[in-house]
Amino acid sequence: MAPPPFSMYSPKSPDGDGPDVAPVFGAGPGDDPGYLASLRTATELGRLRAMMLVLLAAPVLILVIMPLIVQDGREDAPPWLYAPLAAAALLALLRAGGHRELAVEDPTSVRQLPMMETAGLRLVRVPVDEEGLDVAALAAGGARTVLVTPAHQYPTGVVLSAARRAALIAWARDVDGLILEDDYDAEFRYDRDPVGCLQGVDPDRVVLLGSVSKSLAPALRLGWAVAPPSTAARLRDHRAVTDLGAPILEQHALTEFLRGGGYDRHLRTMRRRYRARRDALAAALDAHLPDARVHGVSAGIHLYVELPPGCDEDETVARAARAGVAVTGARSLWSAERAAAAPPALVLGYAGLSETRLVKAAELLGQAVTHGADG
């Protein structure tokens, strides 16, 4: 069956690119015979740019553009060293370290939940409201580790408020806990300055996770984490006995792309392009679905659209598909306890369609909602 002509699946929906923190691997000297010393470079990468400049002060530092940044452990070393490991290993280490529960946002991307459960962690869903993660509910849940998307909550687009940020850091200190900060779309901000990382507030309590899945391509499976020293040492040991190598060519190509300024030029181009697409889609939704509530417009590459009162989410998705527009319903992203009370909504990805096609898709979607058109 041919795909619908207007595919607006969100980038982290079950039909999209999958989780940003993917089980990818990397290498360092002594770890992989294919390791390239030339990967040491004056690198800039999204939110980590300032940290990179510190790293480059040490000539012995090895930079590998692969998934985990860990503490080197030497007294004369700068604070962080790039080294690789699968994200699944981090979950396994949490379990081995006595963590039995992992708190996740409600709603959240469901694609990554099976990986977490496979690691032996019981998932505790924590409500998200207009200020982001409910830290009081988190504290009541008993978990000591939480996965959050504070800069642009997935899928609702909410930014974690300043008060909640302070409360979340205080919670981690009180319970001797760990915050996993998924910075999945940091490169794309349109109407506001970038939101500061939690990791910069308390590096000892926060692991910053990121990737190039949104900025380049999910198929590259290139990502990173900034980990506290205690966590980093265990990650390094675990990686030594579980990872036999990495796709060195991809690492080297990305390094050269960064060093030559191509990555920054690419990001500037894509920000302009995605902003134009976002503007076109938001305006078209306002014209064709005026009673809908659109969230998350200031960043990212998807919109969270609450449907007008009285709409049935499943029926809207089905009608849109018959009209040729593939969309994702939001109900599956909520816990069973909260899904029934959640307003019917859609998660619309706009990165893959031109402005003209987005406008047409919004028109067809509006018809599917207001008239029940079956195309």
Side-chain angles (χ1 to χ4, degrees), residues 102-144:
L102 173 65
V104 296
E105 295 167 324
D106 188 8
T108 190
S109 171
V110 296
R111 181 78 178 260
Q112 57 195 341
L113 300 185
M115 180 182 70
M116 301 171 186
E117 293 175 322
T118 300
L121 297 168
R122 183 177 70 88
L123 301 183
V124 179
R125 301 295 290 266
V126 180
V128 169
D129 59 24
E130 64 277 2
E131 291 190 67
L133 185 80
D134 185 339
V135 181
L138 170 65
R144 292 193 298 115

Side-chain angles (χ1 to χ4, degrees), residues 19-38:
D20 289 275
V21 186
V24 291
F25 304 89
D31 298 321
D32 189 326
Y35 174 78
L36 299 177
S38 60

Side-chain angles (χ1 to χ4, degrees), residues 24-27 32 34 39 65-66 220-222 243 245-253:
V24 291
F25 304 89
D32 189 326
L39 289 178
I65 310 303
M66 285 295 285
L220 287 174
R221 316 318 289 167
L222 299 179
D243 178 12
I248 299 299
L249 290 179
E250 286 87 338
Q251 295 180 54
H252 186 63

Side-chain angles (χ1 to χ4, degrees), residues 12 20-21 67-69 85-95 99 101-105 108 112-113 115-117 119 121-124 133 138 143-154 160 165 168-169 171-173 175-184 197-200 202-210 224-228 230-232 234-235:
K12 293 181 73 178
D20 289 275
V21 186
L68 296 179
I69 303 171
L85 189 69
L90 178 60
L91 301 176
L93 291 176
L94 291 173
R95 182 67 172 81
H99 293 262
E101 297 86 21
L102 173 65
V104 296
E105 295 167 324
T108 190
Q112 57 195 341
L113 300 185
M115 180 182 70
M116 301 171 186
E117 293 175 322
L121 297 168
R122 183 177 70 88
L123 301 183
V124 179
L133 185 80
L138 170 65
R144 292 193 298 115
T145 304
V146 60
L147 175 66
V148 293
T149 52
H152 189 232
Q153 200 276 330
Y154 187 85
L160 191 66
R165 286 170 174 261
L168 184 58
I169 294 294
W171 164 84
R173 293 170 178 171
V175 302
D176 190 23
L178 191 66
I179 300 167
L180 309 182
E181 180 178 11
D182 185 358
D183 202 22
Y184 69 96
C197 293
L198 290 171
Q199 190 275 337
D202 193 340
D204 292 329
R205 294 291 178 188
V206 183
V207 177
L208 176 65
L209 304 170
W224 60 87
V226 185
S230 58
T231 303
R234 289 183 290 129
L235 288 174

Side-chain angles (χ1 to χ4, degrees), residues 106-108 110 125 128 156 304 330-336 338-339 342-343:
D106 188 8
T108 190
V110 296
R125 301 295 290 266
V128 169
T156 66
Y304 188 81
R331 183 174 297 109
S332 65
L333 307 179
W334 296 79
S335 65
R338 300 189 73 206

